[in-house]
Amino acid sequence: MTNTKAKLADLSDPLKIFQARFELPDNVIYLDGNSLGALPKTVKQRVAKTISEEWGEQLIRSWNTADWVHLPQRVGNKIARLIGAPEGSVVAADSTSINLFKVLSAALGLNAGRGKIVSEKENFPTDLYIAEGVAKQLGKGHQLVLADRPDDIPQMLDSDVAVLMLTHVNYRTGYRHDMAAITRAAHEKGILVVWDLAHSAGAMPVDLTGANADFAIGCGYKYLNGGPGAPAFLYVNPRHQGAFNQPLSGWFGHRSPFNFETGYVPSEGIEQYLCGTPQVLGMVALDEALSVWDDVDMEALRDKSIALGDYFIEGIDAFSAEYGLELVTPREAEKRGSQVSYSCENGYAIMQALIARGVIGDFRAPDIIRFGFTPLYLSFADVEKAIAILQDVLKTRSWDSDAYRVLGAVT
Ligand SMILES: Cc1ncc(COP(=O)(O)O)c(C=O)c1O
């Protein structure tokens, strides 16, 4: 039975109309849109049409007739509206990791002469791995210096730091940095800032222009609902465009790719950050998925995201101590993104038992169970049911089974 509080919250939810736009199986409460967004219904038809008509019938002509060739810019402009970036400053391409390689290389090139990249120990591993790789590749002895905690970052910003590279919302804890304040503090020391928006694009309003961010990257398959392995995106502040060449100098970043010139001359615009042929099917799925956002009020989205998170935290508070669940996400709404995580013993088995009951979240080693709140397709009644099922799984110890200890390749 849904209690009155959840019912009232659902009745007055201005975003409830959006749930019908997504394909969601019955008996599933999907709390993993922060990892793979749900399927927007119209994506199915759009991709099918692209395959049967554009690829099947029009064949190679579709690069022009269906304008496949400009998908990276078109999709980029749709994403730009969600992250406070001007037209022409965002492209969709490649993966987040590859885009980080491009923008981090560019940022280090713009701040040559400085020796450090600052980030956090808790940053998503791919960001740290790519930074290690870029530093090695440049061969100029760049040092990657990692903060133990977010509060340590301001005192690490000195005149030898070239780039501060942070993820806006932490993938594990859901901690959210104050993008504007940190960017300002870094700029005061002449440091360029690269933001990873994997857990913020489509989860909340983001204002890259207001924060005067230098570069940003992010995923298409999480809150943007572009589908598994969807193209990622990257943002370059217009004041840096053309100031430095990114190193993956493929032909799609060339000023005129179809002139087939011998030497590389980069495009002056954001296209310079493209590399090779766009992944059309993935790009089309992401393009269609982004059309949902035309009607979304981003402030209402953030309000609902906070309310869903608060509702979940309060519900779990009633039994978390009894079962050893420790909240690792900040309680203060302004310090968190759109996910809530707990550390606990047997977290993997607990998550598998939850999934078996239709509550899909995920597990991040060594001990975090993670629940994402996607305001477009979650209701307060869903959250209430998820709380009750979690309590039941813990009370009955239904997780305590060998079947739930078998580790999948993806957790
Ligand atoms: C913060 C962050 N950055 C990057 C990625 C993934 O990058 P890629 O799309 O290259 O796999 C993730 C994936 O979960 C992430 O959480």
Side-chain angles (χ1 to χ4, degrees):
M1 275 295 281
T2 306
N3 80 27
T4 319
K5 199 174 160 201
K7 255 191 212 152
L8 286 177
D10 282 331
L11 277 174
S12 59
D13 172 11
L15 300 177
K16 63 172 173 271
I17 44 162
F18 289 99
Q19 195 185 24
R21 300 228 209 153
F22 290 87
E23 196 88 40
L24 286 161
D26 292 338
N27 301 320
V28 161
I29 298 171
Y30 194 57
L31 304 181
D32 216 1
N34 51 318
S35 212
L36 172 66
L39 168 66
K41 285 179 180 161
T42 58
V43 167
K44 272 188 176 170
Q45 292 101 42
R46 172 84 185 275
V47 172
K49 181 170 178 275
T50 302
I51 291 175
S52 60
E53 294 175 24
E54 296 173 11
W55 180 13
E57 291 168 26
Q58 288 297 310
L59 291 155
I60 199 160
R61 290 170 288 187
S62 289
W63 281 105
N64 290 315
T65 55
D67 203 26
W68 286 350
V69 72
H70 293 121
L71 274 166
Q73 295 90 323
R74 285 213 312 274
V75 173
N77 282 333
K78 284 188 178 177
I79 296 171
R81 283 182 235 138
L82 301 178
I83 57 176
E87 287 249 323
S89 65
V90 177
V91 273
D94 304 315
S95 64
T96 309
S97 307
I98 291 175
N99 289 337
L100 178 58
F101 183 90
K102 299 173 198 170
V103 300
L104 184 56
S105 304
L108 290 173
L110 284 167
N111 240 350
R114 293 182 174 218
K116 287 194 267 185
I117 304 166
V118 169
S119 192
E120 289 181 274
K121 272 199 181 116
E122 284 289 314
N123 200 347
F124 189 76
T126 206
D127 296 49
L128 303 181
Y129 302 160
I130 291 286
E132 279 179 34
V134 169
K136 219 175 190 176
Q137 180 76 16
L138 285 174
K140 292 188 179 155
H142 281 102
Q143 197 194 345
L144 179 61
V145 190
L146 303 178
D148 286 328
R149 294 173 301 118
D151 289 350
D152 295 342
I153 294 169
Q155 59 265 29
M156 294 168 73
L157 303 179
D158 60 44
S159 58
D160 194 32
V161 178
V163 176
L164 173 63
M165 177 191 78
L166 293 174
T167 295
H168 186 207
V169 174
N170 184 274
Y171 77 105
R172 212 199 289 264
T173 63
Y175 177 91
R176 182 172 89 132
H177 284 290
D178 181 339
M179 179 186 284
I182 293 184
T183 305
R184 202 178 317 118
H187 284 175
E188 278 166 14
K189 298 276 165 61
I191 299 164
L192 296 173
V193 190
V194 175
W195 287 102
D196 183 335
L197 303 179
H199 296 274
S200 15
M204 65 194 69
V206 175
D207 187 5
L208 289 173
T209 302
N212 199 15
D214 297 288
F215 297 91
I217 48 163
C219 301
Y221 49 77
K222 297 178 187 288
Y223 294 94
L224 300 181
N225 310 306
F233 65 88
L234 70 79
Y235 159 82
V236 179
N237 189 312
R239 76 172 184 280
H240 298 313
Q241 276 182 32
F244 193 85
N245 298 346
Q246 64 96 1
L248 296 180
S249 46
W251 70 313
F252 265 72
H254 192 279
R255 186 182 52 185
S256 41
F258 285 85
N259 281 356
F260 300 101
E261 293 162 11
T262 306
Y264 182 74
V265 184
S267 156
E268 278 170 14
I270 190 70
E271 298 78 20
Q272 190 212 122
Y273 284 81
L274 297 177
C275 183
T277 307
Q279 317 98 301
V280 171
L281 296 181
M283 204 68 83
V284 161
L286 177 58
D287 185 42
E288 184 61 38
L290 287 165
S291 58
V292 170
W293 295 95
D294 291 348
D295 309 317
V296 176
D297 171 345
M298 295 304 281
E299 295 302 329
L301 183 94
R302 178 66 177 155
D303 289 347
K304 184 173 171 188
S305 154
I306 290 172
L308 289 168
D310 283 344
Y311 196 90
F312 188 73
I313 292 171
E314 276 167 32
I316 306 286
D317 276 350
F319 55 86
S320 54
E322 189 180 345
Y323 299 109
L325 258 54
E326 196 185 325
L327 180 67
V328 297
T329 303
R331 265 178 203 276
E332 308 95 293
E334 73 279 7
K335 286 199 176 158
R336 65 172 198 255
S338 202
Q339 70 176 68
V340 175
S341 307
Y342 292 86
S343 69
C344 60
E345 238 183 281
N346 303 301
Y348 182 76
I350 290 168
M351 185 49 73
Q352 295 314 300
L354 275 175
I355 293 171
R357 299 270 304 266
V359 178
I360 303 184
D362 60 22
F363 172 77
R364 287 294 172 262
D367 62 352
I368 301 279
I369 51 175
R370 197 169 73 144
F371 304 92
F373 298 96
T374 38
L376 294 189
Y377 48 82
L378 266 186
S379 67
F380 289 85
D382 290 331
V383 174
E384 195 197 350
K385 270 188 232 152
I387 295 166
I389 293 173
L390 176 57
Q391 185 171 20
D392 190 64
V393 161
L394 294 167
K395 190 169 153 209
T396 59
R397 293 180 65 91
S398 69
W399 56 266
D400 196 0
S401 146
D402 286 346
Y404 295 145
R405 293 196 183 90
V406 180
L407 273 184
V410 175
T411 60

